[in-house]
């Protein structure tokens, strides 16, 4: 029992910072980043916000964006107008956390699945994934998802039925949130799209749902791929 309590005890934001930095360095090594994993003036404040969020720290809710206060009951929507700014890497740094670990899928990969298998190919990826509860995953019973480049993919077709996968994800998660109140904090996304883009692509309904589901965090900066 003592070991169990130690394993599930929430990290502090400072402890999460160290874990996330280590994870970032590992990603940089695996993916051969030219300059390694870098925390600088462009991403430092965002990184600290994510440390608060993924340790369930109420200080997170003292921050906000565009007049809306952040909520620990919503997921993270990490947005940047700059392609290559490091959105995906930043969130991947927090895949292992004591709130709820999460898997990763790029929307283009999900689009390809839909083309081959239809809706049956997608449904596994729009809900939490049951996990064997053990010390390796901090005795969490399920894990969530990170959807990369939401509203950045093209519409695809399966047997005559066209689909924009991002719309399907949002609809399913919105229903999931409705059915299981307080569960949206298990789902996150990155996007280059802003609200106006989403409205132009998919309409006002989808744009209006995003603030109910996600905390919008904007990442400024530079294209790190060309440094």
């Amino acid at each position: 029992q003592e070991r169990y309590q130690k394993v599930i005890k929430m990290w502090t934001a400072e402890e999460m910072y160290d874990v996330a930095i280590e994870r970032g360095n590992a990603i940089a090594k695996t993916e051969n980043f030219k300059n390694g994993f870098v925390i600088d003036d462009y991403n430092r404040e965002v990184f600290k916000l994510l440390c608060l969020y993924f340790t369930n720290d109420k200080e997170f809710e003292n921050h906000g964006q565009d007049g809306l206060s952040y909520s620990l009951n919503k997921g993270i929507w990490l947005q940047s107008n700059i392609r290559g700014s490091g959105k995906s890497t930043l969130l991947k740094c927090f895949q292992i956390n004591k709130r709820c670990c999460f898997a990763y899928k790029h929307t283009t990969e999900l689009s390809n699945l839909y083309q081959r298998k239809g809706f049956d190919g997608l449904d596994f990826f729009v809900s939490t994934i049951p996990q064997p509860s053990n010390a390796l995953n901090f005795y969490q019973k399920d894990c969530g998802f990170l959807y990369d480049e939401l509203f950045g993919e093209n519409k695809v077709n399966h047997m005559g039925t066209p689909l924009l996968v991002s719309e399907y994800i949002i609809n399913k998660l919105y229903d999931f949130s409705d059915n299981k109140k307080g569960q949206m904090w298990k789902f996150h996304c990155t996007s280059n799209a802003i609200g106006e883009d989403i409205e132009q692509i998919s309409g006002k309904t989808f744009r209006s749902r995003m603030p109910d589901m996600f905390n919008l965090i904007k990442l400024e900066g530079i294209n790190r791929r060309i440094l």
Side-chain angles (χ1 to χ4, degrees):
Q1 184 66 24
E2 183 178 345
R3 180 173 180 270
Y4 171 80
Q5 291 299 327
K6 184 178 180 180
V7 169
I8 67 170
K9 183 181 179 182
M10 189 67 68
W11 284 323
T12 64
E14 291 76 17
E15 289 170 328
M16 182 77 257
Y17 187 98
D18 292 339
V19 172
I21 288 288
E22 184 177 347
R23 169 75 173 157
N25 289 331
I27 293 171
K29 184 176 181 180
T30 300
E31 300 185 13
N32 295 313
F33 288 3
K34 183 178 179 181
N35 297 305
F37 177 66
V38 178
I39 296 295
D40 56 22
D41 290 344
Y42 292 116
N43 62 15
R44 184 174 292 109
E45 292 308 310
V46 170
F47 195 77
K48 289 179 179 178
L49 275 174
L50 294 174
C51 288
L52 293 173
Y53 177 85
F54 284 106
T55 53
N56 211 29
D57 192 319
K58 294 291 288 184
E59 173 62 23
F60 176 78
E61 296 186 331
N62 291 331
H63 300 267
Q65 181 73 48
D66 298 338
L68 291 176
S69 296
Y70 289 149
S71 169
L72 290 168
N73 292 322
K74 299 178 185 179
I76 297 294
W77 173 18
L78 187 55
Q79 187 271 337
S80 178
N81 295 331
I82 309 296
R83 293 190 180 277
S85 60
K87 304 182 302 298
S88 305
T89 299
L90 277 188
L91 271 175
K92 282 181 179 179
C93 289
F94 295 89
Q95 279 188 269
I96 305 300
N97 69 84
K98 290 198 175 185
R99 283 199 87 197
C100 182
C101 298
F102 55 89
Y104 167 92
K105 280 291 177 183
H106 196 287
T107 51
T108 299
E109 184 181 358
L110 292 175
S111 295
N112 292 337
L113 271 174
Y114 174 73
Q115 278 188 299
R116 298 198 311 270
K117 300 182 178 180
F119 293 112
D120 289 344
L122 294 180
D123 286 341
F124 176 81
F125 302 102
V126 287
S127 184
T128 52
I129 308 172
Q131 298 290 298
S133 182
N134 56 50
L136 294 176
N137 59 11
F138 316 115
Y139 296 101
Q140 296 170 10
K141 295 181 180 179
D142 55 22
C143 75
F145 269 105
L146 163 60
Y147 305 102
D148 203 4
E149 301 294 353
L150 208 66
F151 291 98
E153 82 283 10
N154 295 317
K155 186 173 286 190
V156 291
N157 193 295
H158 175 75
M159 298 183 69
T161 303
L163 181 73
L164 190 71
V165 164
S166 290
E167 293 180 354
Y168 189 72
I169 291 170
I170 294 303
N171 279 336
K172 283 291 188 177
L173 293 187
Y174 196 77
D175 290 343
F176 181 84
S177 176
D178 229 26
N179 294 332
K180 298 184 178 181
K181 292 297 185 184
Q183 296 291 298
M184 270 308 302
W185 52 271
K186 298 181 179 183
F187 302 94
H188 317 288
C189 68
T190 73
S191 183
N192 289 111
I194 60 174
E196 288 83 356
D197 298 328
I198 294 171
E199 183 172 336
Q200 186 174 7
I201 294 167
S202 300
K204 291 183 180 180
T205 299
F206 285 93
R207 180 181 181 179
S208 67
R209 286 181 174 183
M210 300 301 283
D212 292 338
M213 301 166 68
F214 299 105
N215 298 291
L216 171 61
I217 299 179
K218 294 185 177 181
L219 178 65
E220 306 296 338
I222 51 178
N223 185 345
R224 298 177 185 274
R225 296 171 187 158
I226 61 175
L227 292 179

